[in-house]
C-alpha cells in the first residue's frame, strides 16, 4: 500500500479513538516510559507538541518537568530541515504552516546534547518502521546522528508488519511503547529488502 493511502487509514483509526480510550492508553504508556532506562538517564528530551489527532504528550511533558528534564521542540527550516529549541514555562508559541506549534523566539540547543528523541508518527510496525506525516523531517534529523529514539503509540497505530511501502530513507525508531508494553525494535528488526 502506498503511504498516502496508509496515512488516510491511520488518521481514520486515530479519529475513531474515544477520549476515554486515549486517556487510559496514555496512562499505561506513561507508566512504561517512566521506568525505561533511556528515559531515566535522559537530561534533554526532544519532542513535538502534539496535535489533537496524535498521541498526547501533555503528561509526558509534565513528567519530564517533574523529573527536572529539559525539553526541546522542533522548528522547521527550509529544505525540509529542522532544529530544536528549548521549551520552558516562558516559551511563547505560534503555529507553523503545518499547524504545529513552534517557539516564536527560539533558543537553540546543541543537538549533540539531546539524549532522547520522542518521534511522532501515524502508524508503526513492531520492527520500529514508522509512517510519519509525509515531510521527512524526522527521517532527515534522525539520520544525522545516533540519537536514542522512542515513539509512544496507541495500540490501534501498531501493526505486526508495515502495511505501507517502507523506503530506504525511512528511519526506524529503536523503542516503541504501547499499552501492551515496550518493544525494542532493534531486537526484532531483520534486514529489510527495499
Amino acid at each position: 500500500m502506498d503511504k498516502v493511502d496508509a496515512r488516510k487509514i491511520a488518521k481514520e483509526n486515530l479519529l475513531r479513538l474515544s477520549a476515554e480510550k486515549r486517556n487510559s492508553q496514555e496512562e499505561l504508556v506513561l507508566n512504561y516510559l517512566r521506568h525505561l532506562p533511556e528515559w531515566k538517564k535522559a537530561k534533554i528530551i526532544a519532542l513535538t507538541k502534539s496535535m489533537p489527532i496524535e498521541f498526547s504528550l501533555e503528561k509526558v511533558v509534565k513528567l519530564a518537568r517533574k523529573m527536572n528534564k529539559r525539553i526541546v521542540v522542533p522548528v522547521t527550516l527550509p529544505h525540509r530541515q529542522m532544529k530544536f529549541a528549548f521549551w520552558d514555562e516562558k516559551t511563547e508559541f505560534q503555529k507553523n504552516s503545518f499547524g504545529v506549534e513552534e517557539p516564536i523566539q527560539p533558543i537553540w540547543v546543541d543537538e549533540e546534547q539531546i539524549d532522547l528523541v520522542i518521534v511522532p508518527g501515524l502508524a508503526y510496525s513492531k520492527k520500529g518502521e514508522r509512517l510519519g506525516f509525509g515531510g521527512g523531517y524526522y527521517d532527515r534529523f534522525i539520520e544525522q546522528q545516533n540519537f536514542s529514539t522512542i515513539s509512544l503509540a496507541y495500540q490501534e497505530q501498531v501493526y505486526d508488519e508495515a502495511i505501507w511501502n517502507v523506503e530506504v530513507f525511512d528511519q526506524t525508531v529503536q523503542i516503541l511503547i504501547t499499552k501492551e508494553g515496550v518493544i525494542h525494535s532493534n531486537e526484532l528488526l531483520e534486514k529489510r529488502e527495499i
Side-chain angles (χ1 to χ4, degrees):
M1 174 182 311
D2 73 19
K3 288 181 177 179
V4 173
D5 291 338
R7 283 187 188 98
K8 184 178 178 193
I9 290 168
K11 287 178 182 176
E12 288 169 358
N13 288 341
L14 285 168
L15 289 170
R16 280 195 293 271
L17 280 175
S18 68
E20 182 180 312
K21 201 167 191 180
R22 285 173 175 267
N23 192 48
S24 67
Q25 289 193 46
E26 289 163 7
E27 289 293 335
L28 292 167
V29 168
L30 189 65
N31 193 46
Y32 287 119
L33 177 67
R34 77 167 35 105
H35 293 101
L36 200 68
E38 292 84 351
W39 170 265
K40 287 181 177 179
K41 70 181 182 184
K43 292 179 177 68
I44 298 179
I45 298 168
L47 56 79
T48 299
K49 286 189 80 174
S50 49
M51 295 177 57
I53 193 173
E54 296 178 275
F55 188 98
S56 175
L57 296 179
E58 277 183 41
K59 294 171 188 158
V60 174
V61 170
K62 287 179 185 173
L63 177 63
R65 291 209 167 113
K66 185 177 177 182
M67 297 176 73
N68 295 315
K69 298 179 183 299
R70 299 189 73 192
I71 299 168
V72 294
V73 292
V75 176
T76 55
L77 303 169
H79 310 293
R80 295 188 179 207
Q81 300 294 314
M82 63 182 183
K83 282 182 75 170
F84 282 80
F86 286 102
W87 171 19
D88 61 26
E89 292 81 12
K90 296 175 187 166
T91 305
E92 293 183 24
F93 290 88
Q94 66 183 6
K95 289 187 178 181
N96 66 17
S97 59
F98 302 106
V100 178
E101 292 188 38
E102 297 180 337
I104 295 172
Q105 296 180 320
I107 299 170
W108 304 115
V109 64
D110 177 353
E111 289 165 1
E112 292 176 5
Q113 294 181 316
I114 296 173
D115 299 306
L116 182 65
V117 181
I118 298 179
V119 186
L122 289 169
Y124 306 89
S125 78
K126 289 185 177 176
K127 294 179 184 177
E129 297 155 322
R130 179 184 73 92
L131 179 65
F133 289 84
Y137 287 88
Y138 271 90
D139 290 320
R140 285 179 189 81
F141 181 76
I142 292 167
E143 188 178 39
Q144 293 173 14
Q145 294 193 36
N146 190 24
F147 293 108
S148 290
T149 57
I150 293 179
S151 286
L152 311 177
Y154 301 113
Q155 196 61 43
E156 291 77 1
Q157 293 178 270
V158 181
Y159 298 86
D160 288 333
E161 301 282 331
I163 63 165
W164 58 92
N165 297 328
V166 178
E167 299 174 88
V168 69
F169 52 79
D170 290 336
Q171 300 296 308
T172 59
V173 292
Q174 297 159 350
I175 297 172
L176 179 62
I177 306 177
T178 71
K179 71 176 186 173
E180 294 184 358
V182 178
I183 300 167
H184 292 269
S185 60
N186 53 352
E187 294 172 8
L188 298 174
L189 190 61
E190 302 156 355
K191 271 197 163 178
R192 297 183 296 170
E193 290 186 30
I194 299 173

